[in-house]
Amino acid sequence: MIEPQRLIQKAAGYGIDAAPIAESLARYASMLVSYNEKVNLTAITDAEGIENKHFIDSLLLAGCPEVRGKMVDVGTGAGFPGIVTKLYKPEMELTLLEPTGKRVDFLRYACAQLGIEAEFAKERAEEAARKRWREAFDVATARAVAALPVLAEYCLPLVRVGGMFIAMKGSGAEEELKAARGAVEKLGGKYCGRRLFTLPDGSVRTLLFFQKISHTSPVYPRNGGKIAKAPLC
């Protein structure tokens, strides 16, 4: 499985000290691979793939100073970046938002085994933002969920005024950003910068930062079908 020392060295290349959580990450990887045999959690199951595309990727988000307080990981799947972030910053309050029941079962199991306290919301983001979770978080993030105009409507209604929506994107981030500027403004957000990284396998990761500067209009988020068919622009 993954090699803790190799992971520590990779993280150190980005100025991140992963030594205190390397053994926990190794256990997490073992659980992920084992559970993935019965529930579709990830297509990435080789050791270095997990290290690079799941763990280092998540640690790049976790290491940002803007990531603090109460965080929701939207469409978390197998727990990336949320569980890694909680391991790295245990003082944070974490909510894992995932509509698929079998994946939520894995998240509960993994967090219990890793000693992580988290809330588990088995619902879609647009439903969560119309109920108890509306403007409830300091940080909302998501990875590999949807194009940015759609993702903004999922995430920004969950963020309190003054909080941050951080989108984890790849090499096409600039095009998505252009397409999403109108949506972000309508939802009460403001683009405030990006950070670019190259993962150890050579792939590009772009973190896009949006501050919530005003309350989201009660007409948003719309239902899931409308969001997907007619993204805000």
Side-chain angles (χ1 to χ4, degrees), residues 156 183-191 210-214:
L156 276 168
V184 168
E185 184 176 343
K186 289 175 182 176
L187 294 161
K190 178 183 179 182
Y191 172 64
F210 303 90
Q211 188 169 30
K212 184 73 170 286
I213 60 172
S214 62

Side-chain angles (χ1 to χ4, degrees), residues 14 52-53 197-205:
Y14 301 93
N52 298 336
K53 292 186 177 294
F197 303 94
T198 301
L199 297 179
D201 65 355
S203 57
V204 174
R205 166 61 67 206

Side-chain angles (χ1 to χ4, degrees), residues 5-111:
Q5 192 57 44
R6 183 174 63 196
L7 178 61
I8 291 168
Q9 291 174 349
K10 288 179 180 179
Y14 301 93
I16 295 171
D17 180 13
I21 64 170
E23 293 295 336
S24 293
L25 290 174
R27 291 173 56 211
Y28 183 14
S30 295
M31 286 186 280
L32 176 68
V33 172
S34 176
Y35 212 95
N36 199 65
E37 294 179 0
K38 57 182 179 178
V39 175
N40 180 26
L41 297 170
T42 179
I44 301 168
T45 56
D46 64 290
E48 289 221 48
I50 291 173
E51 289 173 12
N52 298 336
K53 292 186 177 294
H54 287 328
F55 291 162
I56 295 297
D57 192 26
S58 297
L59 284 168
L60 290 174
L61 181 283
C64 293
E66 295 87 352
V67 177
R68 61 184 185 272
K70 189 173 182 180
M71 184 179 97
V72 60
D73 182 3
V74 174
T76 184
F80 304 111
I83 288 178
V84 177
T85 300
K86 178 67 173 177
L87 285 170
Y88 187 71
K89 291 181 174 176
E91 72 278 6
M92 293 189 65
E93 296 180 51
L94 174 65
T95 296
L96 297 168
L97 187 62
E98 171 56 48
T100 305
K102 289 182 179 180
R103 290 178 177 173
V104 174
D105 291 341
F106 169 74
L107 296 170
R108 292 183 185 276
Y109 167 72
C111 287

Side-chain angles (χ1 to χ4, degrees), residues 100-188:
T100 305
K102 289 182 179 180
R103 290 178 177 173
V104 174
D105 291 341
F106 169 74
L107 296 170
R108 292 183 185 276
Y109 167 72
C111 287
Q113 294 297 311
L114 294 168
I116 288 175
E117 290 187 11
E119 288 206 59
F120 307 91
K122 182 185 170 295
E123 55 189 325
R124 299 181 63 84
E126 67 271 22
E127 296 166 355
R130 289 194 289 265
K131 296 184 283 187
R132 62 176 287 204
W133 305 108
R134 187 174 187 84
E135 298 190 334
F137 298 96
D138 299 297
V139 179
T141 191
R143 188 184 82 143
V145 171
L148 191 55
V150 172
L151 193 62
E153 192 166 356
Y154 288 156
C155 292
L156 276 168
L158 296 166
V159 179
R160 66 169 180 81
V161 174
M164 194 74 69
F165 160 42
I166 308 173
M168 301 176 71
K169 291 292 180 180
S171 58
E174 181 62 33
E175 291 74 18
E176 289 196 44
L177 179 61
K178 290 178 182 177
R181 286 188 180 273
V184 168
E185 184 176 343
K186 289 175 182 176
L187 294 161

